[in-house]
mmCIF file of all heavy atoms in Angstrom:
data_model
loop_
_atom_site.group_PDB
_atom_site.id
_atom_site.type_symbol
_atom_site.label_atom_id
_atom_site.label_comp_id
_atom_site.label_asym_id
_atom_site.label_seq_id
_atom_site.Cartn_x
_atom_site.Cartn_y
_atom_site.Cartn_z
ATOM 1 N N THR B 342 0.669 35.257 -5.733
ATOM 2 C CA THR B 342 0.123 34.641 -6.958
ATOM 3 C C THR B 342 -0.598 33.340 -6.616
ATOM 4 O O THR B 342 -1.631 33.016 -7.204
ATOM 5 C CB THR B 342 1.227 34.375 -7.989
ATOM 6 O OG1 THR B 342 2.133 33.359 -7.511
ATOM 7 C CG2 THR B 342 2.013 35.640 -8.294
ATOM 8 N N PHE B 343 -0.054 32.607 -5.646
ATOM 9 C CA PHE B 343 -0.693 31.364 -5.207
ATOM 10 C C PHE B 343 -2.083 31.625 -4.646
ATOM 11 O O PHE B 343 -3.055 30.961 -5.020
ATOM 12 C CB PHE B 343 0.192 30.688 -4.157
ATOM 13 C CG PHE B 343 -0.506 29.619 -3.359
ATOM 14 C CD1 PHE B 343 -0.570 28.322 -3.827
ATOM 15 C CD2 PHE B 343 -1.099 29.914 -2.138
ATOM 16 C CE1 PHE B 343 -1.232 27.330 -3.099
ATOM 17 C CE2 PHE B 343 -1.739 28.936 -1.399
ATOM 18 C CZ PHE B 343 -1.816 27.642 -1.882
ATOM 19 N N VAL B 344 -2.198 32.584 -3.743
ATOM 20 C CA VAL B 344 -3.480 32.813 -3.080
ATOM 21 C C VAL B 344 -4.513 33.388 -4.044
ATOM 22 O O VAL B 344 -5.719 33.188 -3.861
ATOM 23 C CB VAL B 344 -3.301 33.726 -1.851
ATOM 24 C CG1 VAL B 344 -3.194 35.196 -2.236
ATOM 25 C CG2 VAL B 344 -4.445 33.540 -0.864
ATOM 26 N N THR B 345 -4.065 34.059 -5.091
ATOM 27 C CA THR B 345 -4.999 34.558 -6.100
ATOM 28 C C THR B 345 -5.745 33.403 -6.762
ATOM 29 O O THR B 345 -6.922 33.526 -7.127
ATOM 30 C CB THR B 345 -4.256 35.383 -7.162
ATOM 31 O OG1 THR B 345 -3.518 36.430 -6.513
ATOM 32 C CG2 THR B 345 -5.215 36.007 -8.154
ATOM 33 N N MET B 346 -5.055 32.257 -6.894
ATOM 34 C CA MET B 346 -5.709 31.061 -7.424
ATOM 35 C C MET B 346 -6.487 30.317 -6.341
ATOM 36 O O MET B 346 -7.671 30.021 -6.474
ATOM 37 C CB MET B 346 -4.666 30.105 -8.016
ATOM 38 C CG MET B 346 -3.961 30.575 -9.257
ATOM 39 S SD MET B 346 -2.745 29.340 -9.802
ATOM 40 C CE MET B 346 -1.295 29.856 -8.880
ATOM 41 N N PHE B 347 -5.813 30.002 -5.246
ATOM 42 C CA PHE B 347 -6.342 29.023 -4.296
ATOM 43 C C PHE B 347 -7.370 29.592 -3.322
ATOM 44 O O PHE B 347 -8.067 28.822 -2.660
ATOM 45 C CB PHE B 347 -5.196 28.359 -3.545
ATOM 46 C CG PHE B 347 -4.698 27.103 -4.216
ATOM 47 C CD1 PHE B 347 -4.290 27.117 -5.537
ATOM 48 C CD2 PHE B 347 -4.656 25.908 -3.530
ATOM 49 C CE1 PHE B 347 -3.845 25.970 -6.169
ATOM 50 C CE2 PHE B 347 -4.214 24.746 -4.145
ATOM 51 C CZ PHE B 347 -3.810 24.776 -5.464
ATOM 52 N N ALA B 348 -7.499 30.898 -3.219
ATOM 53 C CA ALA B 348 -8.530 31.451 -2.331
ATOM 54 C C ALA B 348 -9.927 31.107 -2.806
ATOM 55 O O ALA B 348 -10.854 30.988 -2.002
ATOM 56 C CB ALA B 348 -8.370 32.967 -2.217
ATOM 57 N N VAL B 349 -10.101 30.946 -4.120
ATOM 58 C CA VAL B 349 -11.435 30.685 -4.665
ATOM 59 C C VAL B 349 -11.658 29.220 -5.025
ATOM 60 O O VAL B 349 -12.764 28.828 -5.406
ATOM 61 C CB VAL B 349 -11.701 31.558 -5.912
ATOM 62 C CG1 VAL B 349 -11.643 33.029 -5.545
ATOM 63 C CG2 VAL B 349 -10.702 31.248 -7.029
ATOM 64 N N ILE B 350 -10.622 28.395 -4.886
ATOM 65 C CA ILE B 350 -10.719 26.999 -5.316
ATOM 66 C C ILE B 350 -11.747 26.227 -4.499
ATOM 67 O O ILE B 350 -12.444 25.339 -5.008
ATOM 68 C CB ILE B 350 -9.328 26.327 -5.225
ATOM 69 C CG1 ILE B 350 -8.442 26.808 -6.373
ATOM 70 C CG2 ILE B 350 -9.437 24.818 -5.231
ATOM 71 C CD1 ILE B 350 -8.987 26.503 -7.750
ATOM 72 N N ALA B 351 -11.890 26.552 -3.214
ATOM 73 C CA ALA B 351 -12.818 25.818 -2.360
ATOM 74 C C ALA B 351 -14.266 26.021 -2.795
ATOM 75 O O ALA B 351 -15.122 25.162 -2.537
ATOM 76 C CB ALA B 351 -12.649 26.242 -0.898
ATOM 77 N N ALA B 352 -14.573 27.136 -3.433
ATOM 78 C CA ALA B 352 -15.901 27.337 -4.011
ATOM 79 C C ALA B 352 -15.956 26.809 -5.446
ATOM 80 O O ALA B 352 -16.964 26.239 -5.872
ATOM 81 C CB ALA B 352 -16.274 28.814 -3.983
ATOM 82 N N TYR B 353 -14.871 26.986 -6.176
ATOM 83 C CA TYR B 353 -14.840 26.672 -7.605
ATOM 84 C C TYR B 353 -14.966 25.172 -7.876
ATOM 85 O O TYR B 353 -15.819 24.729 -8.654
ATOM 86 C CB TYR B 353 -13.541 27.217 -8.191
ATOM 87 C CG TYR B 353 -13.471 27.271 -9.700
ATOM 88 C CD1 TYR B 353 -14.611 27.231 -10.487
ATOM 89 C CD2 TYR B 353 -12.237 27.392 -10.340
ATOM 90 C CE1 TYR B 353 -14.533 27.308 -11.875
ATOM 91 C CE2 TYR B 353 -12.140 27.465 -11.724
ATOM 92 C CZ TYR B 353 -13.293 27.422 -12.485
ATOM 93 O OH TYR B 353 -13.208 27.503 -13.847
ATOM 94 N N LEU B 354 -14.139 24.367 -7.222
ATOM 95 C CA LEU B 354 -14.146 22.936 -7.517
ATOM 96 C C LEU B 354 -15.482 22.265 -7.203
ATOM 97 O O LEU B 354 -16.005 21.519 -8.045
ATOM 98 C CB LEU B 354 -13.006 22.227 -6.780
ATOM 99 C CG LEU B 354 -11.794 21.892 -7.661
ATOM 100 C CD1 LEU B 354 -11.143 23.181 -8.172
ATOM 101 C CD2 LEU B 354 -10.778 21.055 -6.902
ATOM 102 N N PRO B 355 -16.074 22.478 -6.029
ATOM 103 C CA PRO B 355 -17.381 21.850 -5.788
ATOM 104 C C PRO B 355 -18.446 22.286 -6.789
ATOM 105 O O PRO B 355 -19.324 21.491 -7.145
ATOM 106 C CB PRO B 355 -17.731 22.314 -4.370
ATOM 107 C CG PRO B 355 -16.426 22.565 -3.719
ATOM 108 C CD PRO B 355 -15.560 23.125 -4.813
ATOM 109 N N GLU B 356 -18.395 23.532 -7.244
ATOM 110 C CA GLU B 356 -19.388 24.015 -8.204
ATOM 111 C C GLU B 356 -19.245 23.344 -9.570
ATOM 112 O O GLU B 356 -20.179 23.332 -10.362
ATOM 113 C CB GLU B 356 -19.274 25.530 -8.361
ATOM 114 C CG GLU B 356 -19.754 26.293 -7.128
ATOM 115 C CD GLU B 356 -19.450 27.777 -7.185
ATOM 116 O OE1 GLU B 356 -18.625 28.196 -8.028
ATOM 117 O OE2 GLU B 356 -20.038 28.516 -6.378
ATOM 118 N N LEU B 357 -18.078 22.783 -9.846
ATOM 119 C CA LEU B 357 -17.850 22.126 -11.125
ATOM 120 C C LEU B 357 -18.473 20.738 -11.202
ATOM 121 O O LEU B 357 -18.696 20.210 -12.298
ATOM 122 C CB LEU B 357 -16.345 22.016 -11.403
ATOM 123 C CG LEU B 357 -15.612 23.307 -11.776
ATOM 124 C CD1 LEU B 357 -14.107 23.112 -11.698
ATOM 125 C CD2 LEU B 357 -16.012 23.767 -13.174
ATOM 126 N N TYR B 358 -18.734 20.123 -10.056
ATOM 127 C CA TYR B 358 -19.202 18.732 -10.028
ATOM 128 C C TYR B 358 -20.641 18.648 -9.536
ATOM 129 O O TYR B 358 -21.051 19.413 -8.659
ATOM 130 C CB TYR B 358 -18.304 17.888 -9.118
ATOM 131 C CG TYR B 358 -16.908 17.692 -9.660
ATOM 132 C CD1 TYR B 358 -15.904 18.621 -9.387
ATOM 133 C CD2 TYR B 358 -16.588 16.584 -10.434
ATOM 134 C CE1 TYR B 358 -14.625 18.452 -9.884
ATOM 135 C CE2 TYR B 358 -15.303 16.406 -10.928
ATOM 136 C CZ TYR B 358 -14.322 17.339 -10.658
ATOM 137 O OH TYR B 358 -13.053 17.166 -11.149
ATOM 138 N N GLU B 359 -21.401 17.684 -10.076
ATOM 139 C CA GLU B 359 -22.779 17.487 -9.626
ATOM 140 C C GLU B 359 -22.774 16.946 -8.199
ATOM 141 O O GLU B 359 -21.842 16.247 -7.777
ATOM 142 C CB GLU B 359 -23.518 16.556 -10.562
ATOM 143 C CG GLU B 359 -22.908 15.164 -10.701
ATOM 144 C CD GLU B 359 -23.707 14.304 -11.658
ATOM 145 O OE1 GLU B 359 -24.898 14.089 -11.371
ATOM 146 O OE2 GLU B 359 -23.142 13.849 -12.670
ATOM 147 N N PRO B 360 -23.816 17.236 -7.410
ATOM 148 C CA PRO B 360 -23.804 16.922 -5.980
ATOM 149 C C PRO B 360 -23.588 15.457 -5.630
ATOM 150 O O PRO B 360 -22.940 15.151 -4.636
ATOM 151 C CB PRO B 360 -25.186 17.401 -5.508
ATOM 152 C CG PRO B 360 -25.549 18.479 -6.474
ATOM 153 C CD PRO B 360 -24.985 18.055 -7.789
ATOM 154 N N ARG B 361 -24.092 14.529 -6.448
ATOM 155 C CA ARG B 361 -24.031 13.119 -6.066
ATOM 156 C C ARG B 361 -22.614 12.542 -6.096
ATOM 157 O O ARG B 361 -22.350 11.513 -5.468
ATOM 158 C CB ARG B 361 -24.968 12.265 -6.944
ATOM 159 C CG ARG B 361 -24.703 12.388 -8.404
ATOM 160 C CD ARG B 361 -25.744 11.634 -9.232
ATOM 161 N NE ARG B 361 -25.423 10.219 -9.365
ATOM 162 C CZ ARG B 361 -26.185 9.235 -8.934
ATOM 163 N NH1 ARG B 361 -27.316 9.513 -8.301
ATOM 164 N NH2 ARG B 361 -25.854 7.977 -9.123
ATOM 165 N N VAL B 362 -21.705 13.182 -6.830
ATOM 166 C CA VAL B 362 -20.310 12.701 -6.863
ATOM 167 C C VAL B 362 -19.333 13.820 -6.500
ATOM 168 O O VAL B 362 -18.144 13.739 -6.787
ATOM 169 C CB VAL B 362 -19.951 12.126 -8.251
ATOM 170 C CG1 VAL B 362 -20.768 10.886 -8.540
ATOM 171 C CG2 VAL B 362 -20.125 13.177 -9.345
ATOM 172 N N ARG B 363 -19.845 14.862 -5.878
ATOM 173 C CA ARG B 363 -19.041 16.059 -5.623
ATOM 174 C C ARG B 363 -17.872 15.790 -4.677
ATOM 175 O O ARG B 363 -16.762 16.288 -4.879
ATOM 176 C CB ARG B 363 -19.950 17.148 -5.062
ATOM 177 C CG ARG B 363 -19.271 18.461 -4.791
ATOM 178 C CD ARG B 363 -20.320 19.497 -4.428
ATOM 179 N NE ARG B 363 -21.096 19.898 -5.590
ATOM 180 C CZ ARG B 363 -22.339 20.346 -5.529
ATOM 181 N NH1 ARG B 363 -22.963 20.403 -4.366
ATOM 182 N NH2 ARG B 363 -22.963 20.721 -6.627
ATOM 183 N N CYS B 364 -18.083 15.024 -3.632
ATOM 184 C CA CYS B 364 -17.020 14.786 -2.652
ATOM 185 C C CYS B 364 -15.854 14.028 -3.290
ATOM 186 O O CYS B 364 -14.688 14.342 -3.057
ATOM 187 C CB CYS B 364 -17.570 14.010 -1.455
ATOM 188 S SG CYS B 364 -16.507 14.061 0.002
ATOM 189 N N THR B 365 -16.180 13.050 -4.131
ATOM 190 C CA THR B 365 -15.135 12.280 -4.804
ATOM 191 C C THR B 365 -14.472 13.103 -5.906
ATOM 192 O O THR B 365 -13.242 13.201 -5.969
ATOM 193 C CB THR B 365 -15.723 10.986 -5.396
ATOM 194 O OG1 THR B 365 -16.258 10.185 -4.339
ATOM 195 C CG2 THR B 365 -14.643 10.191 -6.124
ATOM 196 N N GLY B 366 -15.270 13.676 -6.801
ATOM 197 C CA GLY B 366 -14.715 14.380 -7.950
ATOM 198 C C GLY B 366 -13.840 15.550 -7.577
ATOM 199 O O GLY B 366 -12.706 15.681 -8.057
ATOM 200 N N ALA B 367 -14.351 16.433 -6.691
ATOM 201 C CA ALA B 367 -13.584 17.611 -6.313
ATOM 202 C C ALA B 367 -12.306 17.223 -5.572
ATOM 203 O O ALA B 367 -11.236 17.790 -5.823
ATOM 204 C CB ALA B 367 -14.439 18.533 -5.444
ATOM 205 N N ALA B 368 -12.395 16.249 -4.662
ATOM 206 C CA ALA B 368 -11.224 15.862 -3.876
ATOM 207 C C ALA B 368 -10.178 15.157 -4.722
ATOM 208 O O ALA B 368 -8.974 15.378 -4.552
ATOM 209 C CB ALA B 368 -11.647 14.978 -2.706
ATOM 210 N N VAL B 369 -10.612 14.293 -5.654
ATOM 211 C CA VAL B 369 -9.640 13.603 -6.511
ATOM 212 C C VAL B 369 -8.913 14.604 -7.400
ATOM 213 O O VAL B 369 -7.682 14.554 -7.548
ATOM 214 C CB VAL B 369 -10.345 12.521 -7.357
ATOM 215 C CG1 VAL B 369 -9.400 11.991 -8.442
ATOM 216 C CG2 VAL B 369 -10.799 11.369 -6.465
ATOM 217 N N GLY B 370 -9.656 15.534 -8.027
ATOM 218 C CA GLY B 370 -9.002 16.548 -8.852
ATOM 219 C C GLY B 370 -8.028 17.399 -8.059
ATOM 220 O O GLY B 370 -6.913 17.679 -8.503
ATOM 221 N N TYR B 371 -8.446 17.793 -6.868
ATOM 222 C CA TYR B 371 -7.598 18.626 -6.000
ATOM 223 C C TYR B 371 -6.316 17.901 -5.624
ATOM 224 O O TYR B 371 -5.222 18.458 -5.695
ATOM 225 C CB TYR B 371 -8.398 18.993 -4.752
ATOM 226 C CG TYR B 371 -7.694 19.923 -3.786
ATOM 227 C CD1 TYR B 371 -7.715 21.298 -3.981
ATOM 228 C CD2 TYR B 371 -7.022 19.422 -2.674
ATOM 229 C CE1 TYR B 371 -7.088 22.156 -3.094
ATOM 230 C CE2 TYR B 371 -6.387 20.272 -1.787
ATOM 231 C CZ TYR B 371 -6.425 21.634 -1.994
ATOM 232 O OH TYR B 371 -5.793 22.483 -1.109
ATOM 233 N N ASN B 372 -6.433 16.654 -5.250
ATOM 234 C CA ASN B 372 -5.261 15.928 -4.757
ATOM 235 C C ASN B 372 -4.375 15.372 -5.871
ATOM 236 O O ASN B 372 -3.170 15.185 -5.664
ATOM 237 C CB ASN B 372 -5.711 14.811 -3.816
ATOM 238 C CG ASN B 372 -6.174 15.350 -2.477
ATOM 239 O OD1 ASN B 372 -5.410 15.943 -1.733
ATOM 240 N ND2 ASN B 372 -7.455 15.185 -2.171
ATOM 241 N N LEU B 373 -4.943 15.115 -7.052
ATOM 242 C CA LEU B 373 -4.087 14.763 -8.185
ATOM 243 C C LEU B 373 -3.195 15.940 -8.572
ATOM 244 O O LEU B 373 -2.037 15.754 -8.968
ATOM 245 C CB LEU B 373 -4.937 14.332 -9.390
ATOM 246 C CG LEU B 373 -5.461 12.898 -9.380
ATOM 247 C CD1 LEU B 373 -6.341 12.666 -10.610
ATOM 248 C CD2 LEU B 373 -4.305 11.898 -9.361
ATOM 249 N N GLY B 374 -3.715 17.138 -8.445
ATOM 250 C CA GLY B 374 -2.884 18.317 -8.673
ATOM 251 C C GLY B 374 -1.701 18.355 -7.720
ATOM 252 O O GLY B 374 -0.606 18.811 -8.077
ATOM 253 N N GLY B 375 -1.904 17.852 -6.499
ATOM 254 C CA GLY B 375 -0.827 17.792 -5.529
ATOM 255 C C GLY B 375 0.268 16.825 -5.925
ATOM 256 O O GLY B 375 1.453 17.060 -5.638
ATOM 257 N N VAL B 376 -0.095 15.726 -6.601
ATOM 258 C CA VAL B 376 0.926 14.778 -7.059
ATOM 259 C C VAL B 376 1.813 15.444 -8.108
ATOM 260 O O VAL B 376 3.046 15.350 -8.065
ATOM 261 C CB VAL B 376 0.265 13.507 -7.641
ATOM 262 C CG1 VAL B 376 1.317 12.566 -8.208
ATOM 263 C CG2 VAL B 376 -0.544 12.788 -6.561
ATOM 264 N N VAL B 377 1.178 16.112 -9.066
ATOM 265 C CA VAL B 377 1.928 16.749 -10.157
ATOM 266 C C VAL B 377 2.781 17.903 -9.639
ATOM 267 O O VAL B 377 3.966 18.025 -9.977
ATOM 268 C CB VAL B 377 0.960 17.255 -11.246
ATOM 269 C CG1 VAL B 377 1.733 17.961 -12.363
ATOM 270 C CG2 VAL B 377 0.150 16.103 -11.804
ATOM 271 N N GLY B 378 2.177 18.766 -8.803
ATOM 272 C CA GLY B 378 2.888 19.966 -8.380
ATOM 273 C C GLY B 378 3.605 19.852 -7.059
ATOM 274 O O GLY B 378 4.721 20.364 -6.909
ATOM 275 N N GLY B 379 2.998 19.183 -6.072
ATOM 276 C CA GLY B 379 3.571 19.164 -4.732
ATOM 277 C C GLY B 379 4.585 18.079 -4.492
ATOM 278 O O GLY B 379 5.624 18.299 -3.874
ATOM 279 N N ALA B 380 4.306 16.855 -4.976
ATOM 280 C CA ALA B 380 5.191 15.727 -4.703
ATOM 281 C C ALA B 380 6.533 15.875 -5.412
ATOM 282 O O ALA B 380 7.587 15.566 -4.850
ATOM 283 C CB ALA B 380 4.517 14.422 -5.115
ATOM 284 N N LEU B 381 6.489 16.336 -6.654
ATOM 285 C CA LEU B 381 7.705 16.360 -7.467
ATOM 286 C C LEU B 381 8.559 17.603 -7.260
ATOM 287 O O LEU B 381 9.772 17.547 -7.422
ATOM 288 C CB LEU B 381 7.330 16.247 -8.947
ATOM 289 C CG LEU B 381 6.646 14.950 -9.377
ATOM 290 C CD1 LEU B 381 6.313 14.996 -10.860
ATOM 291 C CD2 LEU B 381 7.534 13.752 -9.075
ATOM 292 N N THR B 382 7.947 18.716 -6.913
ATOM 293 C CA THR B 382 8.685 19.977 -6.907
ATOM 294 C C THR B 382 9.906 19.994 -5.988
ATOM 295 O O THR B 382 10.997 20.384 -6.422
ATOM 296 C CB THR B 382 7.739 21.145 -6.578
ATOM 297 O OG1 THR B 382 6.818 21.306 -7.657
ATOM 298 C CG2 THR B 382 8.504 22.450 -6.388
ATOM 299 N N PRO B 383 9.821 19.603 -4.699
ATOM 300 C CA PRO B 383 11.027 19.621 -3.876
ATOM 301 C C PRO B 383 12.136 18.727 -4.419
ATOM 302 O O PRO B 383 13.325 19.076 -4.342
ATOM 303 C CB PRO B 383 10.534 19.133 -2.506
ATOM 304 C CG PRO B 383 9.078 19.445 -2.497
ATOM 305 C CD PRO B 383 8.632 19.231 -3.899
#
Side-chain angles (χ1 to χ4, degrees):
T342 67
F343 164 86
V344 79
T345 305
M346 292 179 271
F347 269 55
V349 299
I350 285 300
Y353 193 19
L354 258 64
E356 289 171 345
L357 287 167
Y358 292 88
E359 60 180 300
R361 56 186 276 119
V362 295
R363 182 172 287 153
C364 196
T365 299
V369 169
Y371 183 84
N372 286 297
L373 279 177
V376 176
V377 178
L381 296 179
T382 293

